[in-house]
Amino acid sequence: MTRVNGTRKPAAGGTPTLDEVARVAGVSRATASRAINGGQRVSAAAQASVDSAVRTLGYVPNPAARSLVTRRTDSIAVVVPEPDDRVFSDPFFAGTLRGVTRVLSERDIQLVLLLARPGASTARTLRYLTNRHVDGALVVSHHRDDGLAEHMSRLDLPCVFGGRPWSAGDRVAYVDVDNTAGERIATEVLVERGCRRIGTIAGPSDMTAAEDRLAGWRQAMAAAGLADDAVEHGDFTELGGQRAADALLARHPDLDGIVVASDLMAAGALKVLASLGRSVPDDVAVVGYDDLGVAERTTPALTTVRQPVEEMAERATRLLLEQVDGHSPSHPMRVIIPPTLVTRDSA
Amino acid sequence: MTRVNGTRKPAAGGTPTLDEVARVAGVSRATASRAINGGQRVSAAAQASVDSAVRTLGYVPNPAARSLVTRRTDSIAVVVPEPDDRVFSDPFFAGTLRGVTRVLSERDIQLVLLLARPGASTARTLRYLTNRHVDGALVVSHHRDDGLAEHMSRLDLPCVFGGRPWSAGDRVAYVDVDNTAGERIATEVLVERGCRRIGTIAGPSDMTAAEDRLAGWRQAMAAAGLADDAVEHGDFTELGGQRAADALLARHPDLDGIVVASDLMAAGALKVLASLGRSVPDDVAVVGYDDLGVAERTTPALTTVRQPVEEMAERATRLLLEQVDGHSPSHPMRVIIPPTLVTRDSA
DNA sequence: GGCGTGCGTGGAAGCGCTCTCACCACAATG
DNA sequence: CATTGTGGTGAGAGCGCTTCCACGCACGCC
C-alpha cells in the first residue's frame, strides 16, 4: 500500500474527458455518456455528433472514474493459491488460462492474475478481493485448500472454483470433472480386458481430485468383486509415479493391471515396468488420467481418461460471468463434466 | 463496453468508507487518509486511532476512487501479442510470468494479463492501455511484431519489451539476452572441438531472436574461416527441427556439427541423427539453445546456451517499475544479458 | 516581546464519470 | 380541451478518495 513516488501530472491536459466530448458534440455530459454507453434514449443526431467527437478527440473513458460510480471493474481475477513454481509449466494451468481468456475475449473483460505466493500472502489476496478490485474471482484450487473457499464464500464476491474445494463445497460454486466416475471407467477398462489383480497409484491425499479418483477405483473394484488393497500414493509427478510403482510392484508382484491417477505418474510407472521387463499391456495393463499431452508421448502410448480442461475453464468462467451479471450471490451452482475414455496402447 | 445489468447497490452500507474511519477515529478525512498512506505529518496519537479504526471497521480503500485521483492503478499489464495456443505451454512464457510475479510480489502491484488474440484485437489492447488502465506494460514480444512497438512508443505509457522488438528498438526499452553472442559461443564450442563442417538450424526469420542467433553463427563461422552455407530454418518446434535436420543432412551429408537455435528443434535433430545411425557427439556434435528444461531430457543431453528467462523477466519488470515510479518517459533503456554455455553430452 | 518556522490538522476542491430527476416538446387519449 | 404518456435532454448530485491550502499552535531565535 506504500505509495512510492507521488509524482502526478497536473491534470494531464493530454487525455480528453467526457466534458470535452460533450462540448465538442454540442450536447450535455449526460447525453454524451448515454451515447457512449449503448445509446439508450439518445436521438440519432446526438448519437452521431457524440460518435464523431469521440473519434476526433480520441476519447477513451477513464476506467477508474467509471468504476467508481458503476461499482464494476470489468475485470475478474484468476486466483492461484500457492503457486509453487510448477504451476506455470503445468498443462492444466495453461489450459485453464486458455479457456478463461477465450470466454473473456468475447466481452470486454480483463484478467487479473492473482498469485498468492506461499506464505502469509493469502491475506493480501483476500484484501485485494475484498474491496471489489475485480468483479469476480475464479479460484484455481489446484492444490490444497487453505480454507480459501470459506473465506471466499464470506466475501460476497462472485466466485467460482475450478475443481471441488476441500471444504465449503456446498456454499461455493465450482466446476469439476467427475473424478470418481472417471477413475471408475478407467478401472473398468482393465476389468473388462481380463485383469484380476489391479492396483492403483493414487494422487496426494490432500487433493480432492486425488481422493475422488481413488474412491472411483474402489467402487469399480468392489463392483467387480476384486480386492482393493493394492494402493500406493504418489505426488502427481513422474518421479513420484516411479517410486510408487516400485513400491507397489514390490508388495504385489502379481499385479496384471495398474490404474494411475495421472499420466505423468503413469509415465513413471511405465518406466519401472519396462525396466522390470514386464510388457505393457500384455503382462501389466496401465491406464492413466488427464490426457493433457503426456499420454501420447509415452511408450506405449497411454490409454487414459481425458479431462477437458479448457472446457472446464470455459464453463467456470461463464458461470462466474453469470453471477457477475446477475450480481446475485446466487445459490451455489456446480457443473460436473463427464470424463471420457481415450483408448491407446497401454490397455 | 456493453453494460449488461446495471444493478447497483444503493451506496452499499456494507463496505466502510474513509469517512467512517475518520469519524470513528475522531479525526478528519484528510488526516485519516494521511495516516493510511504512510503517515507523513501525522501525530502518533492520530495514527494510532486511525489504525485501530481501520482494524475494527475492516476498512479497505476503494481502489477506483484512489486511482481516480492519484492517476495510478498499482497494476501493470503483461501484454502477449498473438498468443497462439502454444504460448501458455511454452516454458519461456512460464518463466517470464514467474519472474514478473516475483518482482511484483515485493510491492503491492497486480498483474493484468493482456492477451491480444489473433485478429484485429490489437486495437482493443491499445485502447485498454491508452487510458491508463494500468501503470505500465511489459510486452512479451515473443512473436512477430505487428508494429506494436511503434504504437507503444507513442502511447506515453511506461513500457518495456521482453526481447528486442523488430522495429522502434531505438525508442523503446527492452531486455534481451545477447543472442548473437550466444550463438557465437555455441558455434565456437563446435569449432574448438574440431568440427570443420558446421551447419545450423535457425529459427523463423520473423523473430529477432532467430535472426540474431543466425548472425552469431555466421560471425563465428567467418572468424574460423569456415563456409556458412549450411543453413536451414525451422519454427522452434521439435517437428520443425526434425524436418530441418532432414533437409540439412540431405543437402550436406558431410556435416560434423550442427548449431541449433532452440533445444526443442535440437531434440528433433537428435532424433533424425539417431535414425540415421550417426552418433552424437562423435559423428556429429550438436549444440542447442535455451536450456529451459528440454535440454536435460534428450539423449544425449544437450550442450546448450542458457537463456536466464526468469532473470530477464525480473530485470524487465524492475526497469518498468523504475519508469513507473519516476514517471519519466525515460530515455530508452536496454538491458542485454550475457548468455552462458551449459556443457552436457551432445558436444 | 515579536517573528519566523515547523508540524499537525481540517475544510474544501476536485479527479471523471454515471444516473436520477425534473423538464420540455409533442403525440395520443379521454 | 384537459389529461396522460413518451422520448429526448441537461442540471446536478454524488461515487470515495487525495491533496492543496490556510489555520492554529508550540517552539526557538534575535
Side-chain angles (χ1 to χ4, degrees):
Chain A
M1 252 338 97
T2 326
R3 177 121 301 103
V4 175
N5 182 338
T7 328
R8 60 173 296 211
K9 281 196 179 171
T15 43
T17 71
L18 186 59
D19 271 298
E20 297 172 50
V21 172
R23 189 152 9 95
V24 170
V27 297
S28 74
R29 213 170 56 240
T31 303
S33 176
R34 264 179 242 123
I36 286 164
N37 296 314
Q40 297 292 62
R41 279 170 156 42
V42 177
S43 67
Q47 180 75 51
S49 60
V50 169
D51 284 349
S52 106
V54 165
R55 229 169 299 118
T56 59
L57 259 51
Y59 171 75
V60 184
N62 178 317
R66 173 177 282 181
S67 79
L68 180 56
V69 36
T70 57
R71 294 167 173 289
R72 298 197 61 187
T73 63
D74 293 314
S75 67
I76 65 157
V78 170
V79 180
V80 185
E82 318 184 34
D84 56 79
D85 285 352
R86 248 175 310 153
V87 173
F88 288 123
S89 348
D90 195 328
F92 187 92
F93 179 67
T96 301
L97 230 43
R98 214 145 51 211
V100 173
T101 55
R102 184 176 309 157
V103 175
L104 293 190
S105 70
E106 296 166 9
R107 296 176 43 179
D108 231 353
I109 297 185
Q110 295 306 330
L111 185 166
V112 178
L113 212 49
L114 229 49
L115 302 162
R117 301 227 125 225
S121 65
T122 319
R124 194 207 288 196
T125 304
L126 286 172
R127 176 155 43 81
Y128 183 84
L129 294 174
T130 300
N131 223 1
R132 318 205 51 87
H133 222 118
V134 289
D135 295 337
L138 193 68
V139 182
V140 183
S141 171
H142 199 185
H143 295 268
R144 183 199 358 257
D145 170 279
D146 277 357
L148 199 61
E150 277 97 343
H151 284 126
M152 294 300 301
S153 71
R154 251 182 244 124
L155 222 52
D156 182 37
L157 182 78
C159 173
V160 174
F161 274 69
R164 179 168 69 85
W166 260 117
S167 51
D170 50 328
R171 270 178 297 154
V172 114
Y174 65 86
V175 174
D176 206 352
V177 76
D178 191 336
N179 284 298
T180 309
E183 204 71 314
R184 211 163 45 215
I185 292 170
T187 310
E188 283 162 4
V189 168
L190 297 190
V191 172
E192 274 157 30
R193 134 184 263 291
C195 300
R196 282 299 165 265
R197 196 67 188 98
I198 304 173
T200 191
I201 299 178
S205 42
D206 62 353
M207 292 172 67
T208 54
E211 287 298 280
D212 291 353
R213 287 176 203 170
L214 183 55
W217 176 77
R218 286 198 200 286
Q219 287 177 12
M221 293 299 276
L226 299 175
D228 64 350
D229 58 322
V231 179
E232 198 69 39
H233 285 267
D235 62 356
F236 277 155
T237 68
E238 183 165 355
L239 192 62
Q242 228 164 306
R243 290 212 193 97
D246 267 332
L248 195 63
L249 288 163
R251 283 201 294 118
H252 308 277
D254 57 330
L255 290 185
D256 56 3
I258 309 182
V259 175
V260 192
S262 88
D263 288 342
L264 224 46
M265 291 201 298
L270 288 181
K271 278 194 186 162
V272 172
L273 288 167
S275 74
L276 291 175
R278 309 280 208 101
S279 95
V280 177
D282 297 329
D283 296 342
V284 182
V286 175
V287 189
Y289 207 111
D290 280 347
D291 197 37
L292 264 44
V294 193
E296 310 166 34
R297 291 190 218 116
T298 56
T299 335
L302 279 168
T303 290
T304 190
V305 178
R306 167 172 298 159
Q307 291 208 75
V309 205
E310 282 191 48
E311 189 194 335
M312 288 172 61
E314 281 196 35
R315 298 289 294 270
T317 310
R318 290 194 202 287
L319 207 57
L320 181 62
L321 291 184
E322 275 169 34
Q323 280 188 41
V324 169
D325 289 340
H327 208 294
S328 57
S330 75
H331 57 104
M333 279 192 56
R334 58 197 51 107
V335 174
I336 307 294
I337 299 183
T340 55
L341 184 75
V342 179
T343 308
R344 294 206 182 82
D345 310 325
S346 71
Chain B
M1 255 331 99
T2 327
R3 179 120 299 104
V4 174
N5 184 338
T7 327
R8 60 175 294 212
K9 281 194 178 170
T15 43
T17 72
L18 186 59
D19 270 298
E20 296 171 52
V21 172
R23 188 152 9 95
V24 170
V27 297
S28 73
R29 213 170 55 240
T31 302
S33 174
R34 264 180 242 121
I36 286 164
N37 296 313
Q40 297 291 62
R41 278 171 158 42
V42 176
S43 67
Q47 180 75 51
S49 59
V50 169
D51 283 349
S52 107
V54 165
R55 229 169 299 118
T56 58
L57 259 51
Y59 171 74
V60 184
N62 178 318
R66 173 177 282 181
S67 78
L68 180 56
V69 39
T70 58
R71 296 170 172 287
R72 297 197 61 187
T73 62
D74 292 315
S75 67
I76 66 156
V78 171
V79 181
V80 185
E82 320 182 32
D84 56 78
D85 286 353
R86 247 175 311 152
V87 173
F88 288 122
S89 347
D90 194 328
F92 187 93
F93 180 67
T96 300
L97 230 46
R98 214 144 53 211
V100 173
T101 55
R102 183 176 308 156
V103 174
L104 292 190
S105 71
E106 296 166 9
R107 296 176 44 181
D108 231 354
I109 297 185
Q110 294 306 332
L111 184 167
V112 177
L113 212 48
L114 228 50
L115 301 162
R117 303 226 123 225
S121 64
T122 319
R124 193 207 290 195
T125 304
L126 286 172
R127 176 155 43 82
Y128 183 84
L129 295 173
T130 300
N131 225 3
R132 319 205 51 87
H133 221 120
V134 289
D135 295 338
L138 193 68
V139 182
V140 182
S141 172
H142 199 184
H143 295 269
R144 184 201 353 258
D145 168 279
D146 277 0
L148 199 60
E150 276 97 343
H151 284 125
M152 294 299 301
S153 71
R154 250 181 246 125
L155 221 53
D156 182 37
L157 182 78
C159 172
V160 174
F161 274 69
R164 180 169 68 85
W166 260 117
S167 50
D170 50 329
R171 268 178 297 153
V172 115
Y174 65 87
V175 174
D176 206 352
V177 76
D178 191 336
N179 285 297
T180 308
E183 204 70 313
R184 211 165 45 217
I185 292 169
T187 309
E188 283 161 4
V189 168
L190 297 190
V191 171
E192 274 156 31
R193 130 186 269 289
C195 300
R196 282 298 166 266
R197 196 66 188 99
I198 304 173
T200 191
I201 299 179
S205 41
D206 62 353
M207 291 173 67
T208 54
E211 287 298 281
D212 290 353
R213 288 176 202 169
L214 183 55
W217 175 77
R218 285 199 201 285
Q219 288 176 11
M221 293 299 276
L226 299 174
D228 65 349
D229 60 321
V231 179
E232 198 69 39
H233 284 269
D235 62 354
F236 277 156
T237 68
E238 183 165 357
L239 192 62
Q242 227 164 306
R243 289 212 193 98
D246 266 332
L248 195 63
L249 288 163
R251 283 202 294 118
H252 308 277
D254 57 330
L255 290 185
D256 57 3
I258 309 183
V259 174
V260 192
S262 89
D263 289 343
L264 224 45
M265 292 201 297
L270 288 181
K271 279 194 187 160
V272 171
L273 287 167
S275 74
L276 290 175
R278 309 280 209 102
S279 95
V280 176
D282 296 330
D283 296 342
V284 182
V286 175
V287 188
Y289 206 111
D290 280 348
D291 197 37
L292 293 161
V294 192
E296 309 165 36
R297 292 190 218 116
T298 56
T299 337
L302 279 169
T303 289
T304 190
V305 178
R306 168 173 295 160
Q307 292 207 75
V309 205
E310 282 191 49
E311 189 195 336
M312 287 172 62
E314 281 197 36
R315 299 289 294 272
T317 310
R318 291 195 200 287
L319 206 59
L320 182 61
L321 291 183
E322 275 168 33
Q323 280 188 39
V324 169
D325 289 340
H327 208 293
S328 58
S330 75
H331 57 105
M333 277 193 56
R334 57 197 53 109
V335 175
I336 308 293
I337 298 182
T340 54
L341 184 74
V342 179
T343 307
R344 294 206 182 83
D345 309 325
S346 70

